[in-house]
Amino acid sequence: MKTTTTQAGSRATHVAVAGLLAVVMLIGAACQERGPDLRYVPQMAEHPVTLPDGHKIYVQKYELSIAEWNACHNDGACSEKRRPPAGRDPAKVPATDLNHLDVAQYLAWVNAKSRHPFRLPTTKEWAFMAAKILPEKHAPAFTSPELKWASTYLTADLPPRALRDQGSFSTTAEGIADLDGSVWEWTDDCYAGNENATPVSKDRCPAFYAAGEHMAVIPYLVRDPARGGCAVGTPPAHLGFRLVTDKNPL
């Protein structure tokens, strides 16, 4: 009888220990799934941007690099591969010649890998965070609506055309670099005609705004606006992007 009691107690102890280990493993897995995978979180600006309504957004410090982009390509999630100019470090050169569909591929990949909801900025968010470092606009040379395009071309500062390394231009007080550089950045805002046009869903949007010296309307399939496809003002030199998020990923 004593042996039977001892065996029963031993079995109960084993069951209790096994149950405790299972609980610990489940808690550990849940905690791991709850937090972002920092291996896939890009370098973020040192401080969040506080918008006029008080909402904070967390912004990637630099535009996405070729090395970051090719990690997605090498994983089979991004169809286009990018190569840096000869002798340049792919970890320092911004990834460019990317259209809005390319960006969507990267977003789907990085959000799944990082377990964190990154997105593109809106035009209002981008304009707000860049306002203090963009050059002041000149008074228009022509006021007639028919000649507005001429005013834009004659008075706009010429953007830097050469693709330079990350950190080559200005940095905001929050630590966001190169908003005034040669790479124009895709935003999440759709352009479907005039302001009174019926809104369309993002997956059916014909064009999006790219932010730089001004807001340019770019068809979603265009990778090189210098060859055509810019609807407003001087064409962007290069098309790239940076990520933002509404939650602190760090």
Side-chain angles (χ1 to χ4, degrees), residues 139-154:
F142 301 97
T143 57
S144 170
E146 291 80 8
L147 295 176
K148 185 177 180 180
W149 65 271
S151 176
T152 300
Y153 277 94
L154 289 175

Side-chain angles (χ1 to χ4, degrees), residues 16-225:
V17 170
L20 180 60
L21 287 175
V23 170
V24 170
M25 291 175 66
L26 286 172
I27 292 174
C31 290
Q32 184 178 11
E33 286 299 316
R34 233 179 271 128
D37 187 338
L38 298 183
R39 293 175 299 173
Y40 296 94
V41 173
Q43 182 180 359
M44 307 299 287
E46 288 79 1
H47 307 285
V49 174
T50 302
L51 301 172
D53 63 359
H55 178 67
K56 294 181 186 296
I57 58 172
Y58 301 84
V59 183
Q60 188 173 3
K61 184 175 183 68
Y62 303 107
E63 289 132 353
L64 195 85
S65 71
I66 289 176
E68 289 171 314
W69 172 265
N70 283 343
C72 175
H73 172 77
N74 295 338
D75 211 25
C78 292
S79 57
E80 297 292 319
K81 184 172 184 177
R82 289 289 169 261
R83 292 177 175 82
R88 303 274 295 277
D89 183 355
K92 297 293 185 182
V93 181
T96 60
D97 293 334
L98 300 172
N99 64 32
H100 215 271
L101 286 182
D102 298 328
V103 176
Q105 289 180 342
Y106 186 85
L107 278 171
W109 175 81
V110 75
N111 286 355
K113 289 290 188 177
S114 69
R115 301 192 301 267
H116 190 83
F118 290 103
R119 60 178 176 83
L120 292 178
T122 66
T123 53
K124 289 183 178 179
E125 289 170 343
W126 197 97
F128 180 80
M129 62 191 185
K132 292 183 179 179
I133 62 171
L134 287 181
E136 294 183 5
K137 293 186 179 298
H138 300 286
F142 301 97
T143 57
S144 170
E146 291 80 8
L147 295 176
K148 185 177 180 180
W149 65 271
S151 176
T152 300
Y153 277 94
L154 289 175
T155 63
D157 295 324
L158 292 175
R161 309 299 295 183
L163 181 60
R164 294 167 62 181
D165 286 355
Q166 294 174 338
S168 296
F169 300 93
S170 302
T171 300
T172 70
E174 293 84 5
I176 307 167
D178 304 331
L179 291 168
D180 57 345
S182 55
V183 177
W184 292 41
E185 302 177 12
W186 283 109
T187 75
D188 197 40
D189 283 353
C190 171
Y191 177 84
N194 60 50
E195 294 181 358
N196 298 320
T198 303
V200 297
S201 62
K202 294 286 176 62
D203 59 349
R204 303 184 67 179
C205 182
F208 289 83
Y209 288 96
E213 181 190 351
H214 55 75
M215 292 295 169
V217 175
I218 308 291
Y220 74 105
L221 289 175
V222 168
R223 292 191 175 108
D224 183 4

